[in-house]
Amino acid sequence: MTSNTDPFIDIRPYNDDEIPAAIDRLVNDEEFISAILQHRFKNSPSWFKGLMSPIVRVYLKMKWAKLSSVEAIQNEVKKYLEQMLEVTTDGVTYSGLDQLDKETAYLFVSNHRDIAMDPALVNYGLHQSDHKTVRIAIGDNLLKKPCATELMRLNKSFIVKRSAKGHVR
């Protein structure tokens, strides 16, 4: 269990032992379930989505109960990412990853086109090339919804508190 004295507990990515509680919070988040229903059943009437809400929640609880590590979460998300890439692109290519030493740390900087997809695609390319996935910086100004915070921290994100004020001594 993670220590309560961790000064970075509210901004760092989740550790493996924190995954079950984070998944539970996510599955019980009405906004998250609503977003899934809107995406999956976008052409269905709202009464149908209301009926499906508890079913989707139970399905996710059962499906995600076995996920107990960040790596397991990323492997699960990879399936959805691959489906999305299959439907929305003609393919994604990466070059130069074979030039990277797998035991060396690197800093990747994106052009910030999409807050979720940039790191997802970087991690996907790294994973496909048998590299470790990266930690991702995200500003707290982009995390207005609790479910967004949960999802990002489950995917190795750490939060940059843009509203934080420095203290002069």
Side-chain angles (χ1 to χ4, degrees), residues 80-138:
Y80 297 105
L81 182 62
E82 287 173 336
Q83 290 172 356
M84 191 258 323
L85 291 174
E86 181 69 31
V87 171
T88 62
T89 71
D90 291 331
V92 176
T93 60
Y94 300 89
S95 61
L97 294 176
D98 57 327
Q99 302 296 313
L100 301 179
D101 181 348
K102 291 183 173 147
E103 301 305 316
T104 300
Y106 294 95
L107 173 66
F108 297 93
V109 179
S110 82
N111 62 2
H112 201 35
R113 302 279 302 180
D114 183 284
I115 194 62
M117 288 307 297
D118 286 3
L121 291 171
V122 168
N123 273 343
Y124 182 70
L126 290 168
H127 179 75
Q128 296 297 91
S129 300
D130 295 321
H131 286 276
K132 294 177 186 170
T133 56
V134 299
R135 294 198 179 229
I136 304 154
I138 183 168

Side-chain angles (χ1 to χ4, degrees), residues 13-164:
Y14 289 131
N15 295 319
D16 287 349
D17 65 330
E18 297 168 305
I19 299 297
I23 287 174
D24 189 58
R25 285 189 300 274
L26 196 55
V27 169
N28 287 302
D29 186 294
E30 290 299 327
E31 209 164 356
F32 177 67
I33 298 300
S34 184
I36 290 172
L37 291 167
Q38 184 58 36
H39 175 73
R40 180 69 176 92
F41 304 108
K42 60 183 158 236
N43 297 324
S44 300
S46 56
W47 63 264
F48 179 75
K49 293 175 192 168
L51 286 175
M52 292 302 295
S53 181
I55 295 168
V56 167
R57 183 171 279 111
V58 168
Y59 170 78
L60 290 175
K61 282 182 181 182
M62 289 174 33
K63 183 175 174 96
W64 291 354
K66 68 180 185 286
L67 303 178
S68 60
S69 70
V70 171
E71 183 179 4
I73 298 261
Q74 289 183 324
N75 283 329
E76 186 67 25
V77 171
K78 180 180 94 167
K79 297 172 195 173
Y80 297 105
L81 182 62
E82 287 173 336
Q83 290 172 356
M84 191 258 323
L85 291 174
E86 181 69 31
V87 171
T88 62
T89 71
D90 291 331
V92 176
T93 60
Y94 300 89
S95 61
L97 294 176
D98 57 327
Q99 302 296 313
L100 301 179
D101 181 348
K102 291 183 173 147
E103 301 305 316
T104 300
Y106 294 95
L107 173 66
F108 297 93
V109 179
S110 82
N111 62 2
H112 201 35
R113 302 279 302 180
D114 183 284
I115 194 62
M117 288 307 297
D118 286 3
L121 291 171
V122 168
N123 273 343
Y124 182 70
L126 290 168
H127 179 75
Q128 296 297 91
S129 300
D130 295 321
H131 286 276
K132 294 177 186 170
T133 56
V134 299
R135 294 198 179 229
I136 304 154
I138 183 168
D140 63 351
N141 59 310
L142 301 171
L143 299 172
K144 301 297 182 201
K145 300 173 190 269
C147 60
T149 302
E150 294 292 349
L151 288 168
M152 295 305 290
R153 290 180 73 192
L154 283 166
N155 192 32
K156 297 173 98 172
S157 294
F158 61 92
I159 300 167
V160 177
K161 291 197 173 187
R162 296 196 172 186
S163 57

